[in-house]
Amino acid sequence: MLRTLLLGLLATVTPPAAQAAGAPATVDLSAGQSLDEAYRQEFGLCDAKDRFRGHRVHGCRNDPNAVTALRRLPDGTIAYVSKLAVDLDGSPFACSPKHGAMDQCPTALMLPDGRGGEVPVDADRIPYVVIPWEGPSDVEGQFTALTGVKAGDFGYVVHDGVTVPVIVADTGPFEKLGEGSIALHRALGRELCAKRNTAGVCVRVVDPMESIQGDVVTVLFPGSARDDLTPATIARTIPVEVALLRAQASHRRNG
């Protein structure tokens, strides 16, 4: 019933406005428990030495993870504090010949196109976050094994008093935590598209593409993924689901 009411309230809201819906959140990290402090500290080791659980990697020292907390809160949500890098995957820019060396057209979460195929989640339209996954067999998927969070799960990001509902739409290297779509950065007040064509498609991004350096709080709801999302519904579904999940979490906390 609550989901139906929320859908009705947001049915006439345009997707960009709906994506930014939701009151600013106050996340009490002190109320939670550390998931695995040794695992969290590996991100700090990577920032300092470009090493993660014995594997030599690259990129942490140039763009530190800045993971200062990784906790399970009393309501069952997963919360972490980190930097926020920029992901362009799934956007028209990333799917074009002019994409950057690290950009990819597919995303971990793919949506049915209605014609028997799949399309990626558009980073320029949908606020999404990225979770660690890819790597050698002994470390691949460790974040998901520890947290229960998978592609398709919902959550929200808080930074400088702004709260943005998000979905987990992509995965990245096992040693990197703290990344979000260009649409998420826009919702947080950072416009990183430098030029759009007459159709409104981003054809050039700012250079250098810098991260938010730290103090970004991400809260995720493990096991919250839905299997009925489409390119036409995902934008309006995210804020509805997040509002519902936050209400349910609040009820569990206040019992």
Side-chain angles (χ1 to χ4, degrees):
M1 178 63 72
L2 180 57
R3 180 181 284 110
T4 301
L5 290 172
L6 286 168
L7 279 168
L9 287 171
L10 291 176
T12 60
V13 180
T14 59
Q19 289 166 10
T26 300
V27 183
D28 184 7
L29 295 172
S30 66
Q33 295 183 339
S34 176
L35 278 171
D36 185 330
E37 185 60 15
Y39 176 74
R40 185 196 69 80
Q41 290 179 357
E42 287 293 327
F43 292 102
L45 178 65
C46 197
D47 294 348
K49 299 183 178 181
D50 273 345
R51 295 190 68 86
F52 194 102
R53 294 209 159 165
H55 295 279
R56 184 168 296 281
V57 297
H58 61 86
C60 289
R61 284 191 289 185
N62 293 335
D63 187 20
N65 292 288
V67 179
T68 57
L70 175 57
R71 306 178 72 80
R72 188 184 303 277
L73 302 184
D75 57 22
T77 55
I78 301 299
Y80 56 89
V81 182
S82 67
K83 63 88 178 282
L84 190 70
V86 187
D87 193 353
L88 297 169
D89 292 356
S91 67
F93 179 83
C95 296
S96 75
K98 296 182 179 181
H99 66 77
M102 302 301 293
D103 301 329
Q104 301 180 58
C105 190
T107 49
L109 178 65
M110 299 290 286
L111 304 174
D113 63 4
R115 301 185 298 273
E118 292 183 320
V119 295
V121 179
D122 183 352
D124 194 32
R125 191 172 72 93
I126 304 300
Y128 73 64
V129 293
V130 182
I131 58 172
W133 182 270
E134 291 88 1
S137 59
D138 62 319
V139 289
E140 185 171 80
Q142 282 192 344
F143 180 85
T144 292
L146 181 65
T147 64
V149 173
K150 299 179 180 179
D153 285 342
F154 296 91
Y156 57 94
V157 170
V158 184
H159 182 64
D160 279 351
V162 178
T163 301
V164 182
V166 298
I167 190 168
V168 179
D170 209 3
T171 57
F174 68 96
E175 76 278 6
K176 303 294 285 184
L177 180 60
E179 187 174 3
S181 66
I182 191 172
L184 172 56
H185 283 263
R186 183 179 306 115
L188 291 172
R190 308 180 74 218
E191 179 53 76
L192 301 177
C193 177
K195 182 180 179 181
R196 294 184 182 276
N197 63 20
T198 55
V201 174
C202 185
V203 294
R204 181 163 55 87
V205 295
V206 299
D207 186 19
M209 184 74 77
E210 296 181 347
S211 304
I212 298 175
Q213 296 301 310
D215 298 325
V216 178
V217 181
T218 302
V219 179
L220 301 174
F221 297 89
S224 59
R226 294 177 52 164
D227 60 5
D228 60 347
L229 297 176
T230 70
T233 64
I234 186 171
R236 65 174 181 265
T237 300
I238 292 171
V240 173
E241 283 298 309
V242 173
L244 177 65
L245 290 163
R246 286 177 62 180
Q248 292 172 338
S250 177
H251 180 73
R252 287 194 297 270
R253 288 195 304 270
N254 300 325

